Every structure is written in C-alpha cells, then in structure tokens.
Amino acid sequence: MVADQLEISGIVRNEPDGSVYIEAQGKLSELETFIEKIKTSPTPSGKVEKLVITKIPPIDYSSFQITY
C-alpha cells in the first residue's frame, strides 16, 4: 500500500455518496507524494475528479487503516 511505503498513518473509507474520505499524517514531503499518487491513480475506479485538502489537529494514528 502506498501509505505504508511512505510511512503515512491515518484512515481511509468509502462514503455513501461514492466519495472517499482520507485522514493522513506524516512528514510533509511524504504527504505531498501521497497526494500526487492519489491524484494520478491509474485505475478507472480510482479516478479523482475533485480533491479537497483540510488541515485538522493531529490524531495519534499508529498505522494506515481502512475503516467502515
């Protein structure tokens, strides 16, 4: 998983409206790479049409997990 390779921690989940919600934390350079990889996903189901980035207070995530 890209997040693991970049040592990004946080969560990802599919929302009822079809969007994907991600909370990610890590070093700034790794976060920038993570965002670029998300934006350029090669799979049709991973196509990014809109990206909204919001800073939130840090949460003590120990890994990157899929939540439901």
Side-chain angles (χ1 to χ4, degrees):
M1 181 184 306
V2 172
D4 293 333
Q5 294 169 355
L6 295 171
E7 298 182 7
I8 301 293
S9 58
I11 60 168
V12 61
R13 71 173 173 256
N14 292 325
E15 298 288 46
D17 66 0
S19 65
V20 176
Y21 177 82
I22 301 172
E23 289 184 7
Q25 62 187 30
K27 294 178 183 174
L28 181 58
S29 60
E30 279 77 11
L31 286 170
E32 290 170 343
T33 301
F34 182 67
I35 291 166
E36 284 305 311
K37 289 188 177 283
I38 290 169
K39 289 168 42 175
T40 59
S41 174
T43 62
S45 62
K47 181 181 175 192
V48 176
E49 295 178 4
K50 179 180 176 183
L51 180 67
V52 177
I53 299 173
T54 305
K55 289 185 180 183
I56 61 173
I59 298 172
D60 191 22
Y61 292 116
S62 59
S63 63
F64 196 82
Q65 299 179 352
I66 299 170
T67 61
Y68 302 95

